[in-house]
Amino acid sequence: VAGLAPEVRSKGAEPKSVGWREPYPTDADEFFAYRPSRSGQARTATVRKDVVYAAFGDAGLHVLRVGTEGGFAKLGELPGRKVYDCAFVGDRLLTAEGTDGFALYELDGPVGFREVARRPRLSSGATVACWCWGLPNELAVLSGRTGGMRFVPAKDLAKGTDLGSFSFSCQWDKYLADAPIRGLLPIVRPGRGLVWLDLTGPKPVEKKRPCSLVPRQTNGVCVFDEKTFLVTCGRQYAFVGADGEQKGPTCDFPGLDKGMSGGGVPRSDGRRVVLTARSAHRAALYDFSDAERPQLLRSWTLAGNPDVAAFCGGRVLIPAGHQGLLLTRRAERLGKGGGK
């Protein structure tokens, strides 16, 4: 209102230590944990054999080796960059670097970074690089969380030659399957179902498929085996083929914590399935050796917010926000079933 001075509010006492951070405790009997010396959230864990490329947001990209008995050994960092997501496109590392855009690096060993291309922004309305994804045939997926997901040949990253843009309400990589099957990639459109992209032609094309599953915003889809995707729907799951047909009934996850009523985002190595529920601070690991009778192996309540998990050397990697990057101490024994 004209003539009125703005209200002056107290900012409170200055902290005794400006370097103080919330502890975000970790159960040392369950996990190894890595946190950078600088404040940052673990957002992504991309695995190459026993080497992990971990995006920690404001704390940058850290390169870690996982030991044969577990634990992390730091190999190095990507110097001078904030990194909010990373993924391999072929043998090159793609990064989302916030206001610095998207970059592509060739690697000389695990930490010899050589920048070969950079795209400062997707468009005038999408100026922040939020996440990226790598697909077969050197295809990259980029998002600034506005204007849709952009599909770009990695070789043309700096040219801005997009093959297509697709919008699926929430522009997060957790809604994409981790890989296509027979050139078909399913994406969760929360509250509406699965969207299918055909990647076999010169450009991605949206395809109609009959799947009637309607995952929630807390759910996702992943490759289970060479023929089948696993889709989560609340506390339930189902197998879906690349033809979009559901294979068998929709089933409940046995023993799932009540705190995970919304389910979680899945990832699988073909015998195990790990679920992460970011807003619920929870994760669960299942033995799917007998896909018709999965067994709950472990469930966890975490101090941080778990993002999409990964497998490394028989263990589970969970980027858990301010809690850091977590690695399970146990390499669980599995049943003798043959999978799906």
Side-chain angles (χ1 to χ4, degrees):
V1 179
L4 293 179
E7 180 182 358
V8 177
R9 298 187 180 185
S10 173
K11 297 180 181 179
E14 292 186 1
K16 294 180 180 180
S17 171
V18 294
W20 184 85
R21 296 162 64 183
E22 288 281 356
Y24 289 92
T26 296
D27 185 345
D29 292 331
E30 291 288 334
F31 297 103
F32 298 100
Y34 175 85
R35 294 176 70 185
S37 58
R38 305 187 306 279
S39 180
Q41 297 189 54
R43 295 172 174 265
T44 299
T46 298
V47 180
R48 275 291 170 101
K49 296 182 180 179
D50 62 346
V51 177
V52 180
Y53 294 81
F56 280 92
D58 291 353
L61 180 78
H62 291 237
V63 185
L64 312 168
R65 174 164 279 129
V66 173
T68 55
E69 299 300 321
F72 297 106
K74 183 177 177 180
L75 301 180
E77 300 180 32
L78 174 63
R81 296 292 184 183
K82 298 178 180 180
V83 180
Y84 300 93
D85 201 4
C86 62
F88 274 96
V89 183
D91 291 327
R92 294 180 291 183
L93 186 69
L94 177 66
T95 57
E97 300 180 4
T99 54
D100 289 336
F102 298 92
L104 192 66
Y105 296 91
E106 289 186 347
L107 297 175
D108 180 13
V111 293
F113 295 97
R114 185 173 72 87
E115 184 178 316
V116 294
R118 179 170 294 273
R119 184 165 177 178
R121 62 180 62 188
L122 293 178
S123 68
S124 59
T127 59
V128 179
C130 292
W131 70 259
C132 55
W133 202 244
L135 293 172
N137 300 321
E138 301 274 321
L139 187 62
V141 190
L142 313 175
S143 174
R145 293 288 307 281
T146 58
M149 303 173 182
R150 311 292 182 91
F151 287 71
V152 183
K155 63 182 178 63
D156 295 333
L157 180 70
K159 298 178 182 179
T161 307
D162 298 350
L163 297 180
S165 177
F166 300 87
S167 184
F168 305 117
S169 69
C170 295
Q171 311 301 327
W172 288 331
D173 56 346
K174 69 179 182 180
Y175 292 128
L176 279 73
D178 42 332
I181 295 177
R182 300 174 189 168
L184 290 171
L185 181 74
I187 303 173
V188 168
R189 180 177 282 169
R192 297 180 63 183
L194 293 178
V195 175
W196 296 82
L197 293 184
D198 186 344
L199 306 179
T200 59
K203 294 184 178 182
V205 177
E206 188 171 337
K207 293 287 187 179
K208 299 292 185 181
R209 288 292 185 269
C211 179
S212 60
L213 295 167
V214 184
R216 305 177 187 179
Q217 196 165 1
T218 52
N219 300 146
V221 55
C222 70
V223 172
F224 183 75
D225 60 27
E226 69 276 4
K227 297 180 180 178
T228 316
F229 296 100
L230 183 145
V231 185
T232 56
C233 300
R235 298 172 61 86
Q236 297 181 311
Y237 69 91
F239 294 105
V240 178
D243 57 2
E245 294 283 355
Q246 184 169 329
K247 311 300 181 183
T250 301
C251 302
D252 293 328
F253 278 105
L256 192 63
D257 190 306
K258 291 182 179 179
M260 292 185 73
S261 59
V265 178
R267 286 296 182 263
S268 177
D269 64 358
R271 296 191 69 188
R272 295 171 299 173
V273 172
V274 59
L275 304 176
T276 50
R278 180 175 174 82
S279 59
H281 298 266
R282 284 173 167 82
L285 177 64
Y286 281 88
D287 179 358
F288 265 73
S289 298
D290 184 343
E292 296 181 358
R293 287 175 288 275
Q295 299 294 317
L296 178 65
L297 296 173
R298 311 291 296 175
S299 63
W300 305 282
T301 299
L302 305 174
N305 299 93
D307 224 307
V308 181
F311 290 95
C312 181
R315 304 172 192 271
V316 179
L317 275 168
I318 303 175
H322 286 296
Q323 189 176 353
L325 180 63
L326 307 181
L327 176 71
T328 54
R329 287 185 176 271
R330 295 176 177 87
E332 303 287 350
R333 285 190 167 186
L334 303 180
K336 297 181 179 180
K340 180 74 172 68

